[in-house]
Structure formats: structure tokens, C-alpha cells
Amino acid sequence: MKKILIANRGEIALRIIQTCKEMDIQTVAVYSEADKDLPFVKAADEAVHIGEPPVVKSYLQSEVILEVALKHKVDAIHPGYGLLSENDEFAKKIEKAGITFIGPSPQTIEWMGDKIMARKTMQQAGVPIVPGTIEPIEDVEEGVKLAEQIGYPVMLKASSGGGGIGMVKCDNNEDLRKHFVSSQQRAKNYFGSGRMFIEKCIENARHIEVQIMGDTHGNIVHLFERDCSVQRRNQKVVEESPSPFLTESLRSKITDSAVKAAEAVNYVNAGTVEFVVSENGDFYFLEMNTRLQVEHPVTESITGLDLVRWQIQVARGEKLPLTQEEIMSKGHAIEFRLYAEDPITFFPSPGKIEKLIWPSSEKVRIDSGYDSGNAVTPFYDPMIAKIIVSDSNREACIKNAVEFFDALEIEGLKTNIPLFQMILKEEDFTKGDYTTSYLSKRKVSKP
């Protein structure tokens, strides 16, 4: 494998390029007009303009990306996360063209991309699933009837959804009737499918995900868990490992279930099995993400491993570099997603980064997609960078993070730095006593 095309943008594209350079692999970047000045374009060995700023005219143009791959004679395509990373048709096209797709098989992507199919598969494999429907709901009245049987509150979800899109909490029949059609239509617009299902809403819950990796030789391992409970609009903002909530016994049960889930679909390459964990320690399968996660650096920090390197090695047909017994977790790591957004409303705040000075710290890893002078445009997710703080324990991580954000200089647009500065000093967070409703229930004043 001598040349890889990266079908993505921003920090993840740059992240993949860095590992490819270490492995002496040539890289081809694709970019839209809005991204022509970003660091990932300059870092790649070759860069190809593929269209206008909107993703439907650039990064979602699978045929155009495939043409670039063929023209530049690449051996493989890495999809990163988001965009086309969980598009089974894209993966099929790549394989049909004789190019390696760095990810799981198209069939696995298709199965796990359908949340209803995923629930059925996990149920058959003996992995606990959230109480709810396992068949698609066709209309709102059918949904109301089923929700009454399950018991409110419930979560209305899109079968093909992701990133919180098409998902809404309903406390009663009125809520469900109010949101069903709009959520269904939103799901159709984003994912091309309006298939909906209902799950029991597990309140005061933790969102725990397990990093898994499999190879083509039948080996599957987990690389421990990440606690992703600090969320806004059902999207993650802060992730950490180890989880401050899990006991060793519960951690073992969850990671074992994640491996069982991966074995049920003969999983290959990097993936994540997500669980919701109740206050009393009951845990349930939520979904399987058939790609590398945004928060994968948390796992890299506690294991000392390079997951992108592992992905490439597996895609080359190699066995996993380590067995389960050889994978060790050491210390603690917390990732903060730095967004160009209002820290109170969480609304995107695009603009030009007039000044960006990263504080220097051996305990902090920065995966950034921007430099000073670059613009965060309204066309894409407004994440500027990921700040990964690691140390021997959680308390030290928090101390390092406080010092880092106090010294970070960024001007020209709003960011969520004030949010981090506040929660890092709040008792609930510092004690690890938080759930998925933590941000929505916080009483905050404007910083």
C-alpha cells in the first residue's frame, strides 16, 4: 500500500496524513473551494479540487472522488469519519474498482447503519438492547400505541440516523404526535429513509462507548471504553477514559459485550460499540459506528497505540499487532472538542480566525484543522480542533486542562472555551458525577 486517498477534510484528514507520512505512504487529499487554504491540503503529497463548498457538491460526490482515486492510481481510500465513511454504496464502488476501502466490509456498514437491523442482530447475539421496537414504525398513531406500551419517556429515532439527527425525546403522546412527522421528514432529507423506531428513554444515563478492532484473520479486540456523556443536542463535546463512573466489574461486562457485538457481524477494522448505562448499572446497546470515531485520540492516549496505523495494517491483510492480553490502559485522558460556536446557545459561529496561539504542554495533544488566518465556514461542522489532555490520573488531567484553556489565545470568532473553563471547575464534573443531561440541566450565567 503505497498511496492512499483521504476522502475527508479538516483535522481528521490531517491526522491520517501524519500517520501515512510515518509509514512512508503517499497521500492524495481532495478539497472543496472553501477548504483550499486549510492545512490538510498543504500537507498532502497531492491535492485535488473536487467542487464547490456545499458537501453535496464536493465531499459527498462519490463518483468524482472515485475518479480522482483512479486517475492518481491510489491503492486505498480512507474515509475518516462523517461524510461518506458509513456509506456502504461508496465502499462497494471502491472495492469494485479494485481499490481497498480502509474500513469494515460494505455489508457490515449496511447492517449496522440500519439501527433497526442492528438492534435485531444484537438481540440475537445476546447483547442487551434498550427496550423498544424492533420493527419500523410506519405512522404516528402506530408509534403512539407502541410508546404507551413501552412507557414514557421514549426516544423517537431514525433507523438510518446519526449525530443526533432525527432523534427526539418524547414525554407523552402529545410530544410524539408533534415530533413524529418532522423527525421523519428530517431523516428522509438527511439519510434518504424515513424509517423510525422508538426506544425507552433511559434517564440520568451515561453514554459509554467501546473501541473495537478486528482483522481479516478472525481476531477481534477491544481497546477499553470512553465516557461520552457530556453532550449538547445529543452530540458529544467532552470524552474521557477511563470512565469515572464504571466499576471494574461493569467495565469488564461492557467491553465483553462490545466484543460479542463485533463477533456477531464478523467485524473488520476500527469501530465503536455504543451503550447507554443506567444509574443502577444496567447497560444496553445503542448502536455500532462502523468507522474511526472523532474521539479516537482518547484511546490512543491511554494505550499508546496509533489506531490509524492499525487500520492501514488491517486493510493490508495483516493480523492485529497485539492480542487482547497485550493491550494495556495507562493513566487518564480527556478530549475537548473546540468549536466555533456560542458557548451558551451552542449555535455555530463561523468566521475568520484572526489569532490562534496554542499553549505548549507535554501533557496536551492538539489535533487541529485550522491555522491563524483560516476561516471556519458555515458549510461544515464548526469544530476547530480536538484538545486531548492526558496524565497519570483524572485530577491531574483536569488541572492541566484548566491551565491550557486559561492560556489559549484565539480571536476573531466565538468559541466554546468559556464552557470548558466553567465545567472544569464545577463539582459535578470534577467528581465525575455527570450524565447525558449534564449540559442541558446546568444553571449557567453568561461568561
Side-chain angles (χ1 to χ4, degrees):
M1 195 173 289
K2 298 179 179 178
K3 185 185 284 190
I4 291 175
L5 182 145
I6 300 150
N8 217 295
R9 60 176 299 280
E11 66 83 20
I12 186 58
L14 188 59
R15 159 75 188 88
I16 296 166
I17 289 169
Q18 289 168 344
T19 289
C20 287
K21 286 183 182 296
E22 293 172 4
M23 298 179 73
D24 198 26
I25 296 172
Q26 296 287 300
T27 54
V28 178
V30 292
Y31 66 94
S32 73
E33 182 64 25
D35 285 346
K36 61 182 180 180
D37 297 322
L38 291 192
F40 82 94
V41 177
K42 302 171 185 177
D45 295 296
E46 301 171 65
V48 182
H49 176 263
I50 55 168
E52 298 174 42
V55 290
V56 294
K57 295 184 178 181
S58 52
Y59 297 109
L60 294 183
Q61 291 283 342
S62 59
E63 294 292 347
V64 173
I65 292 173
L66 188 55
E67 286 176 13
V68 173
L70 292 169
K71 181 178 179 180
H72 289 259
K73 297 181 171 58
V74 305
D75 303 300
I77 293 179
H78 196 306
Y81 55 72
L83 299 175
L84 293 169
S85 65
E86 293 180 284
N87 186 311
D88 60 287
E89 291 300 323
F90 180 56
K92 289 175 185 176
K93 289 177 184 177
I94 291 171
E95 292 191 351
K96 187 176 181 180
I99 298 171
T100 299
F101 178 76
I102 301 178
S105 70
Q107 185 179 51
T108 299
I109 297 173
E110 181 180 7
W111 283 353
M112 295 299 99
D114 184 328
K115 303 300 186 292
I116 294 174
M117 174 64 76
R119 282 170 58 79
K120 288 181 179 180
T121 302
M122 293 306 124
Q123 187 179 54
Q124 292 169 359
V127 177
I129 64 173
V130 179
T133 59
I134 56 172
E135 297 294 340
I137 299 170
E138 302 297 334
D139 60 67
V140 64
E141 291 308 317
E142 180 187 359
V144 166
K145 183 179 178 180
L146 292 168
E148 289 177 339
Q149 293 174 3
I150 296 167
Y152 287 102
V154 299
M155 294 297 295
L156 175 65
K157 295 184 175 183
S159 181
S160 301
I165 298 169
M167 180 192 306
V168 63
K169 177 186 175 185
C170 300
D171 290 313
N172 48 50
N173 288 345
E174 184 181 354
D175 277 356
L176 187 56
R177 288 192 173 96
K178 176 183 176 183
H179 294 295
F180 188 90
V181 175
S182 59
S183 296
Q184 187 177 54
Q185 188 58 52
R186 194 170 185 224
K188 286 180 180 178
N189 293 340
Y190 274 88
F191 311 113
S193 171
R195 289 175 13 122
M196 307 297 290
F197 69 102
I198 291 174
E199 287 181 343
K200 177 69 177 176
C201 179
I202 310 298
E203 298 191 283
N204 299 316
R206 291 273 187 160
H207 187 146
I208 304 292
E209 63 184 25
V210 178
Q211 178 70 55
I212 55 168
M213 185 76 73
D215 62 25
T216 55
H217 303 274
N219 301 304
I220 295 175
V221 299
H222 73 79
L223 293 94
F224 306 100
E225 89 286 355
R226 298 184 290 255
D227 195 318
C228 305
S229 303
V230 181
Q231 305 178 1
R232 87 279 194 266
R233 300 194 303 271
N234 297 311
Q235 293 181 314
K236 304 161 189 172
V237 182
V238 178
E239 304 98 348
E240 64 178 306
S241 185
S243 167
F245 173 75
L246 298 184
T247 62
E248 283 303 320
S249 174
L250 184 53
R251 175 176 290 108
S252 179
K253 291 177 182 178
I254 290 176
T255 52
D256 286 349
S257 289
V259 172
K260 185 187 292 186
E263 290 173 343
V265 293
N266 299 314
Y267 201 89
V268 173
N269 219 277
T272 307
V273 184
E274 306 208 1
F275 298 92
V276 59
V277 185
S278 70
E279 289 180 289
N280 62 6
D282 292 329
F283 65 93
Y284 307 96
F285 170 85
L286 272 181
E287 62 181 359
M288 181 182 289
N289 293 304
T290 52
R291 54 173 167 77
L292 194 66
Q293 288 281 77
V294 177
E295 57 274 17
H296 76 274
V298 173
T299 297
E300 293 183 326
S301 295
I302 62 165
T303 61
L305 304 173
D306 183 335
L307 297 190
V308 174
R309 179 183 288 268
W310 276 39
Q311 283 191 290
I312 294 170
Q313 291 171 322
V314 167
R316 292 193 303 205
E318 300 174 21
K319 289 185 177 181
L320 294 176
L322 298 174
T323 64
Q324 187 67 72
E325 292 70 29
E326 294 172 322
I327 301 169
M328 307 299 290
S329 175
K330 183 179 180 181
H332 199 94
I334 308 176
E335 176 179 290
F336 302 85
R337 300 191 190 187
L338 178 60
Y339 284 101
E341 67 180 19
D342 187 289
I344 299 297
T345 65
F346 303 133
F347 291 153
S349 179
K352 184 179 180 181
I353 302 174
E354 301 291 351
K355 180 180 181 181
L356 178 57
I357 301 178
W358 300 112
S360 179
S361 173
E362 294 181 356
K363 302 294 186 179
V364 179
R365 165 181 167 177
I366 302 166
D367 283 17
S368 176
Y370 297 86
D371 289 330
S372 291
N374 292 151
V376 179
T377 70
F379 300 105
Y380 317 113
D381 182 89
M383 187 171 69
I384 298 171
K386 301 181 304 196
I387 314 300
I388 306 95
V389 185
S390 58
D391 213 313
S392 59
N393 57 67
R394 189 171 188 268
E395 292 73 21
C397 280
I398 291 174
K399 181 178 180 293
N400 295 335
V402 169
E403 293 174 353
F404 180 87
F405 286 115
D406 284 347
L408 176 56
E409 296 182 61
I410 182 166
E411 298 176 2
L413 37 62
K414 291 182 180 180
T415 73
N416 58 347
I417 292 173
L419 173 68
F420 298 142
Q421 290 173 319
M422 286 189 288
I423 67 173
L424 281 165
K425 297 173 183 177
E426 291 179 358
E427 185 177 6
D428 284 348
F429 182 80
T430 57
K431 286 186 174 182
D433 185 19
Y434 59 84
T435 68
T436 53
S437 61
Y438 170 60
L439 288 185
S440 62
K441 290 183 177 179
R442 288 171 68 248
K443 295 180 180 180
V444 299
S445 58
K446 190 172 183 179

